[in-house]
Amino acid sequence: MCGIVGYVGPQQAEGVVIEGLRRMEYRGYDSAGVALVHDGEIAWDKRAGKLANLDKSLGDQPLPKATTGLGHTRWATHGAPNDVNAHPHLGATGRVALVHNGIIENFAPLRAELERAGHELRSETDTEIAAHLVEAAVTEGHSLTEAMRQVCRRLDGAFTLVAIDAHDPDRVVAARRNSPLVVGVGEGENFVASDVAAFIEHTRDALELGQDQVVTITREGVEVVDFDGNPAEGKPYHVDWDLSAAEKGGYDWFMRKEIHEQPNAIADSMLGRHDEQGALQLDELRISEDELRGVDKIIIVGCGTAFYAGLVAKYAIEHWTRIPCEVELSHEFRYRDPILTRDTLVVAISQSGETADTLMAIRHAREQRAKVLAICNTNGSTIPRESDAVIYTHAGPEIGVASTKGFMTQLVACYLLGLYLAQVRGTRWGDEIAAVVRELEQMPGHVQSLLDRGDEVLALAENLADARSVLFLGRHAGFPVALEGALKLKELAYIHAEGFAAGELKHGPIALVEKDVPVFCIVPPQGRDFLHDKMVSGIQEVRARGARTIVLAEEGDDDVAPYADVMVRLPKVPTLLQPMVAVVPLQLFACELATRMGHDVDQPRNLAKSVTVE
Ligand code: M6R
């Protein structure tokens, strides 16, 4: 939520900052702004709406040349998305410019205090108070670093702040608490940003910052202190993907590119995680085998798509390990006072590793002495850093707001975790585990075969272009897939879409079915005969009431054909792994329909990729 970037070095800062914002626009696109230090003054521009509006404004009225600057792309929390509330915000005299990601919870008393002291605040944001406070401190003679540190100690909530001072032209200062911030370390130039994508074009060397730290970047170096002024150190790491991964590579949407990257992403997520005999090796796990043998309950937490990956994981983990497994929305978890002990393993699933709800859930779990394992796609992010163990998903950067390869690789990581637990605890034979690993190794090919038949889904989107409501039915591991299919359609096509467990239909939802309502039906493999037959009954029930059925069933399943208006054939795979293939046509369908409707697929309205506020 919100992308922020700061730069100091020999290049024209405006270009570096705007390019950085372009690569982070997925984090928020309600407004964008830039500020530069030029000739002892701050030069700035900011515009409501997408970055293109700022681009146009800068084209009409260019800012002066400068080599130090910062920028912001906003997902609005406090105050409407208009020009005034856009960041950067300036202090009372315009000497300091500041951008912010997060929420300053005690902004009301601080605002009142500033107003009593005669400050005139122009916006409705919580951010502007920080700009005034930092500027007041530098005006008193403190360095920008010292001013930032003092102000941060007075703030409650979640924030990343970046500031520049017109009187200190070669320095950018940033701070973080509960909100993402990484440093890009270049040669004679340095960067701060919410995400490495902002500076990947210039350097792949990054520094991970800890909680409550202030970082000062100059051309010469990087200095980190904590909020009390004690020297601290960032943790260096090398980004293992390059600029091409952060670009569309000829696709119209990042989402479409990311859907098509799934075969590779699955293969990368499997790489090095089993030996030739199929025995699992999760070297990076950092929880001992003894501790894993002692686990008596698993609770999986996540939000949105990550939560649905957790629902799939429950079926697999309980089946393979017999460990009771609960799945919970991160934001509900800590408020119900869950029962956690030293033997509870909390698995936090998050593509970004920055989702505030999930972060707060793991903090609660660790306070209660539970062990926390993160499944995450983003190196250097907060959730893995604050967890006892991590399985990285190696999907490469996911930029489309709708998660696709993120979900796919979360499934892979969940299956690997389940199989590893089964191996360590001896609840499955080695050959059984190896057989599932072999099936997982086939997945890139299966997913590719579905992508090669993408035209079928295109035709489907054309036929269903007028639908105002779409339902999704599944059973067992197909139920979370139904939920995921509906979520993709809601967030991209903005139409009513709901996923149901097929067995639940007759308990109410079937009342929604009327003539011609499209219903996607995810049919379990025929090998699960009892499940399969029940699903076929469900399809008949909706068809009898006039629904148009789009049936996703495995190759060779002819029993369902008579009840399908449209058949989408899935590769033959085991029931527990079927979500990996069943989700692909649903991702493509949402992407095609939203494209047809003229929506911005990568930046759907009201959303942001990384939800860093609770
Ligand atoms: O980064 P995370 O995996 O923690 O994000 C969780 C959800 O916000 C995310 O999956 C969201 O639901 C997606 N936009 C769905 O496509």
Side-chain angles (χ1 to χ4, degrees):
M1 233 148 230
C2 300
I4 56 184
V5 58
Y7 173 74
V8 55
Q11 304 189 56
Q12 288 306 315
E14 181 185 317
V16 175
V17 167
I18 295 290
E19 267 318 296
L21 293 182
R22 207 178 306 291
R23 295 197 202 293
M24 285 193 302
E25 206 183 2
Y26 67 88
R27 301 181 68 91
Y29 29 87
D30 287 334
S31 65
V34 58
L36 309 170
V37 182
H38 171 76
D39 211 8
E41 297 197 338
I42 300 287
W44 57 272
D45 195 358
K46 53 184 190 173
R47 298 288 148 182
K50 295 198 172 173
L51 188 57
N53 295 354
L54 178 66
D55 268 342
K56 178 166 182 323
S57 172
L58 291 171
D60 294 345
Q61 281 184 306
L63 293 178
K65 293 197 182 322
T67 53
T68 299
L70 51 72
H72 187 269
T73 174
R74 177 172 188 236
W75 187 85
T77 58
H78 289 55
N82 55 30
D83 286 355
V84 177
N85 290 329
H87 301 212
H89 290 280
L90 302 188
T93 67
R95 176 177 161 180
V96 163
L98 178 142
V99 292
H100 166 219
N101 171 24
I103 293 179
I104 298 169
E105 285 167 3
N106 58 336
F107 91 101
L110 291 171
R111 184 178 177 117
E113 176 190 313
L114 283 165
E115 283 172 342
R116 276 196 305 276
H119 288 247
E120 198 183 316
L121 292 142
R122 306 167 193 99
S123 75
E124 304 157 273
T125 65
D126 49 344
T127 306
E128 195 181 359
I129 57 124
H132 279 243
L133 290 170
V134 171
E135 188 180 278
V138 294
T139 309
E140 280 170 18
H142 297 291
S143 70
L144 187 59
T145 308
E146 175 60 19
M148 179 68 93
R149 210 171 61 65
Q150 284 181 10
V151 170
C152 285
R153 282 167 42 169
R154 301 194 61 199
L155 305 180
D156 295 336
F159 50 85
T160 303
L161 301 171
V162 183
I164 48 177
D165 174 2
H167 297 185
D168 192 357
D170 297 317
R171 179 190 301 257
V172 175
V173 175
R176 76 170 287 264
R177 168 182 286 167
N178 293 335
S179 189
L181 176 66
V182 282
V183 180
V185 183
E187 303 242 332
E189 58 181 357
N190 288 300
F191 309 77
V192 286
S194 309
D195 184 328
V196 294
F199 53 73
I200 193 76
E201 187 178 354
H202 308 283
T203 179
R204 288 165 71 185
D205 290 321
L207 273 189
E208 193 181 303
L209 292 178
Q211 180 73 329
D212 287 5
Q213 291 187 339
V214 173
V215 61
T216 303
I217 59 166
T218 58
R219 288 183 187 213
E220 292 76 34
V222 176
E223 254 180 46
V224 186
V225 291
D226 66 18
F227 284 1
D228 294 323
N230 303 308
E233 273 185 17
K235 189 171 154 210
Y237 67 100
H238 188 71
V239 183
D240 59 6
W241 47 269
D242 61 15
L243 181 62
S244 64
E247 294 189 327
K248 285 189 195 154
Y251 286 91
D252 53 349
W253 305 117
F254 277 109
M255 182 190 183
R256 200 187 299 280
K257 174 179 174 239
E258 288 158 7
I259 291 172
H260 282 84
E261 283 172 346
Q262 292 182 115
N264 281 341
I266 298 168
D268 289 347
S269 296
M270 292 289 294
L271 209 64
R273 279 166 167 169
H274 62 87
D275 65 16
E276 280 179 9
Q277 284 69 47
L280 273 296
Q281 43 196 31
L282 295 184
D283 299 336
E284 76 268 45
L285 206 57
R286 302 199 308 252
I287 296 183
S288 73
E289 294 196 357
D290 266 356
E291 285 175 302
L292 290 178
R293 277 189 277 272
V295 168
D296 62 9
K297 180 168 74 171
I298 295 176
I299 305 181
I300 303 177
V301 293
C303 300
T305 289
F307 172 68
Y308 300 150
L311 290 178
V312 174
K314 175 183 165 72
Y315 290 94
I317 292 176
E318 285 193 341
H319 181 69
W320 291 330
T321 69
R322 313 310 295 157
I323 307 171
C325 183
E326 299 168 15
V327 191
E328 187 145 6
L329 289 163
S330 309
H331 34 90
E332 290 294 314
F333 175 71
R334 70 177 165 142
Y335 298 106
R336 74 171 172 91
D337 194 13
I339 300 168
L340 298 161
T341 71
R342 285 174 191 279
D343 295 327
T344 309
L345 178 66
V346 172
V347 178
I349 306 181
S350 174
Q351 186 286 130
S352 62
E354 297 293 351
T355 298
D357 293 316
T358 305
L359 178 60
M360 295 307 159
I362 67 166
R363 285 189 182 157
H364 179 78
R366 293 194 78 199
E367 276 161 21
Q368 310 290 311
R369 303 275 181 269
K371 281 177 275 300
V372 174
L373 184 153
I375 290 179
C376 183
N377 193 39
T378 312
N379 208 318
S381 58
T382 310
I383 290 171
R385 201 172 48 239
E386 295 200 16
S387 299
D388 298 293
V390 57
I391 300 179
Y392 281 111
T393 49
H394 302 303
E398 189 179 66
I399 292 169
V401 165
S403 184
T404 52
K405 63 177 180 173
F407 177 71
M408 187 66 85
T409 54
Q410 283 162 359
L411 293 180
V412 174
C414 289
Y415 292 136
L416 292 176
L417 174 64
L419 293 172
Y420 186 66
L421 285 167
Q423 177 177 296
V424 168
R425 297 162 69 102
T427 50
R428 291 279 139 178
W429 299 108
D431 59 342
E432 293 174 303
I433 292 170
V436 183
V437 168
R438 276 197 301 278
E439 293 285 355
L440 284 171
E441 289 288 355
Q442 301 301 312
M443 282 297 168
H446 292 322
V447 171
Q448 188 59 53
S449 70
L450 286 160
L451 296 173
D452 293 344
R453 291 195 277 118
D455 284 354
E456 292 172 24
V457 179
L458 180 62
L460 192 58
E462 275 163 13
N463 289 337
L464 298 182
D466 299 331
R468 301 292 5 119
S469 173
V470 180
L471 306 182
F472 295 78
L473 300 184
R475 287 193 87 107
H476 190 258
F479 168 43
V481 178
L483 296 172
E484 172 63 1
L487 176 62
K488 291 287 94 102
L489 212 52
K490 275 183 254 204
E491 65 181 335
L492 299 180
Y494 319 149
I495 58 177
H496 171 243
E498 273 193 79
F500 296 108
E504 187 64 10
L505 267 191
K506 54 192 177 298
H507 299 287
I510 200 161
L512 290 169
V513 177
E514 55 187 9
K515 191 166 174 340
D516 289 337
V517 166
V519 182
F520 283 77
C521 308
I522 300 136
V523 182
Q526 283 179 297
R528 287 292 166 99
D529 45 4
F530 57 99
L531 268 182
H532 179 271
D533 295 352
K534 292 273 183 310
M535 186 68 205
V536 175
S537 309
I539 299 172
Q540 283 174 299
E541 285 161 17
V542 293
R543 233 175 108 86
R545 287 158 179 88
R548 273 195 278 176
T549 53
I550 301 104
V551 175
L552 283 68
E554 70 180 3
E555 301 286 353
D557 180 352
D558 296 328
D559 294 353
V560 283
Y563 315 112
D565 290 304
V566 178
M567 264 314 258
V568 178
R569 287 296 181 187
L570 302 176
K572 263 182 183 298
V573 297
T575 305
L576 284 170
L577 306 190
Q578 199 196 37
M580 290 181 74
V581 290
V583 76
V584 176
L586 306 186
Q587 296 169 336
L588 285 169
F589 176 69
C591 182
E592 295 299 358
L593 192 66
T595 306
R596 250 195 94 81
M597 294 168 97
H599 295 173
D600 185 330
V601 168
D602 287 334
Q603 296 176 351
R605 71 181 180 203
N606 303 339
L607 293 175
K609 179 71 180 161
S610 176
V611 186
T612 53
V613 292
E614 273 189 278

